[in-house]
Amino acid sequence: MKPDLLLAALACALGAGPLAAAPADERAAARSVAAFVDAVNKGDSKAALARLTADAAITDDLAPYRWQGAHAGTDWFGAMGRNAQRLGVTRILMHLAAPMRVEATDDSAYEVVRGSLLLEGKGAPLHADGVLTFALRRSGGAWKIGLLSWAGERPHR
C-alpha cells in the first residue's frame, strides 16, 4: 500500500472510532451496569442481585475482598453493611463517569468505568476515586454481571 493511501486509511479509521455510535449490545451492557449501580445506591439489594449471574465473582476493597458463586452478591452486600457500620456510614453512593471502554462480542461484554465513591455518616464524608471493571454475559436476553472488580484509593476525608 502506498504511504499516502496508508496514512489516509489510518486517519479515517482513527477519526471514525470515537465518533461512531456504540453498537446496541455495548449500549445495553452499559445500561445494565448503570442499573446495577443505581440499585446498589438505593440499597435495593433484590434489584442489584437480579443483575448478577449465578456464578458471579466480586473483588472489592473490604474484607474478605473476594466473593464468588451463588452467594457472592448477598455476601458482598453483608460485608458492605458491616464495613459501613464499622465506619459509622449511613449512606453509600457510587457515581459513574462515562465508560472508558465497552466491548461486546456475541454473548459476552466488558466494561471499564471510573467511579467516585461517597460515604456519608458521622463526621465529614469520605471519598474515594477508582475504576470499576465488569465482565457480563447475556442471559435470557439480558446482560448479567459475572465479574465486578473495584480498584481505587483508600476512602479519605
Side-chain angles (χ1 to χ4, degrees):
M1 185 177 266
K2 293 183 179 181
D4 290 342
L5 195 53
L6 179 61
L7 287 174
L10 182 60
C12 286
L14 291 175
L19 300 176
D25 284 340
E26 292 175 4
R27 290 191 307 269
R31 281 193 305 271
S32 184
V33 165
F36 170 79
V37 170
D38 287 344
V40 172
N41 282 342
K42 292 175 185 171
D44 187 349
S45 61
K46 184 177 179 181
L49 294 174
R51 299 233 171 236
L52 299 177
T53 63
D55 63 345
I58 299 170
T59 303
D60 204 343
D61 65 349
L62 48 118
Y65 309 108
R66 182 178 182 272
W67 301 265
Q68 186 170 352
H71 301 287
T74 54
D75 292 347
W76 175 65
F77 267 100
M80 282 197 308
R82 288 186 298 279
N83 190 56
Q85 186 175 22
R86 181 181 64 81
L87 296 172
V89 170
T90 56
R91 185 173 181 212
I92 302 171
L93 290 173
M94 173 62 67
H95 299 281
L96 298 180
M100 297 166 52
R101 181 176 176 186
V102 182
E103 294 183 19
T105 306
D106 300 323
D107 289 337
S108 298
Y110 174 78
E111 179 173 338
V112 179
V113 60
R114 285 185 177 91
S116 294
L117 184 64
L118 173 66
L119 305 170
E120 297 178 329
K122 297 177 185 173
L126 297 170
H127 302 271
D129 292 323
V131 175
L132 291 151
T133 302
F134 296 89
L136 300 96
R137 280 197 312 260
R138 190 182 347 245
S139 175
W143 287 102
K144 302 259 185 173
I145 297 166
L147 171 80
L148 156 62
S149 177
W150 163 259
E153 62 188 358
R154 184 182 303 267
H156 57 87
R157 299 209 187 274

